[in-house]
Amino acid sequence: AQSVTQPDIHITVSEGASLELRCNYSYGATPYLFWYVQSPGQGLQLLLKYFSGDTLVQGIKGFEAEFKRSQSSFNLRKPSVHWSDAAEYFCAVVLNQAGTALIFGKGTTLSVSS
Amino acid sequence: NAGVTQTPKFQVLKTGQSMTLQCAQDMNHNSMYWYRQDPGMGLRLIYYSASEGTTDKGEVPNGYNVSRLNKREFSLRLESAAPSQTSVYFCASSHRYNEQFFGPGTRLTVL
């Protein structure tokens, strides 16, 4: 069965430091992968997505993610974190062959210290 | 464009009461979804509708029913609410394979 694992429940990073959030997936075919961000009390916003092609994908707000098939990973990175990046981050993978539903990881909460 | 709208924003029910959560999108998307979000559990899919006229169960469908009223609207009904259904409910819509757009959520408490 398809699944998504985010090993880190909570991460604290100093403002200006680099960030990497981990995501591992289990999926039998070529995965479609997503990263979403949720600010407190808000809905989810798409940061970036991977369908095929270049394994390094750029997203909004200065985020990028790298797809590594050999490691079944899709880690999210940002070179310099801003205080406004404090939020919860979710990795997701397509649930079914029709590509119409996602399964989400349990999320990583990012805190930014000054 | 309003995107995805949900009503109500907040609701308190007593055990056994029923209610319907409403969702509408104005992006002409074929697919719509209902999720629940609980602390430490991420988002779990309740039901989805790949296209108008079709609905399918997700991970946690028990205790819920859905109706795809037309292409724009997708409602979620709790027939007999239970405290275990206390959660934040999100509706989303998408084109196939593409990003899902989320509504602002409904915070439901069942006493």
Side-chain angles (χ1 to χ4, degrees), chain B residues 15 36 38 44 62 64 78 80-87 89 110:
Chain B
T15 296
R36 60 177 290 172
D38 303 290
R44 292 181 291 170
N62 291 344
Y64 305 95
L78 287 70
S80 178
S84 61
Q85 294 178 305
T86 293
S87 188
Y89 291 85
V110 183

Side-chain angles (χ1 to χ4, degrees), chain B residues 98-111:
Chain B
N98 278 316
E99 70 174 287
Q100 293 188 12
F101 292 82
F102 285 81
T106 295
R107 190 173 295 274
L108 175 66
T109 301
V110 183
L111 303 175

Side-chain angles (χ1 to χ4, degrees), chain B residues 46-110:
Chain B
I46 305 171
Y47 271 93
Y48 66 99
S49 171
S51 61
E52 188 178 355
T54 68
T55 61
D56 287 284
K57 295 179 180 179
E59 300 173 68
V60 289
N62 291 344
Y64 305 95
N65 287 300
V66 290
S67 295
R68 184 74 182 268
L69 304 171
N70 47 55
K71 192 170 186 177
R72 289 188 65 250
E73 298 172 289
F74 188 39
S75 63
L76 178 72
R77 182 161 178 83
L78 287 70
E79 291 291 352
S80 178
S84 61
Q85 294 178 305
T86 293
S87 188
V88 181
Y89 291 85
F90 288 99
C91 177
S93 70
S94 76
H95 287 303
R96 180 180 169 180
Y97 290 122
N98 278 316
E99 70 174 287
Q100 293 188 12
F101 292 82
F102 285 81
T106 295
R107 190 173 295 274
L108 175 66
T109 301
V110 183

Side-chain angles (χ1 to χ4, degrees), chain B residues 1 9 41:
Chain B
N1 289 348
K9 287 187 168 50
M41 299 295 292

Side-chain angles (χ1 to χ4, degrees), chain A residues 25-73:
Chain A
Y25 66 89
S26 170
Y27 192 68
T30 302
Y32 297 136
L33 295 156
F34 304 80
W35 274 100
Y36 284 84
V37 61
Q38 184 181 32
S39 298
Q42 303 295 313
L44 277 73
Q45 180 184 23
L46 181 74
L47 285 175
L48 46 78
K49 61 188 177 185
Y50 172 78
F51 287 174
S52 64
D54 192 348
T55 57
L56 184 64
V57 293
Q58 302 297 322
I60 62 171
K61 305 184 180 186
F63 285 92
E64 66 179 26
E66 186 171 13
F67 170 60
K68 293 185 178 180
R69 185 186 300 276
S70 61
Q71 299 177 17
S72 297
S73 69

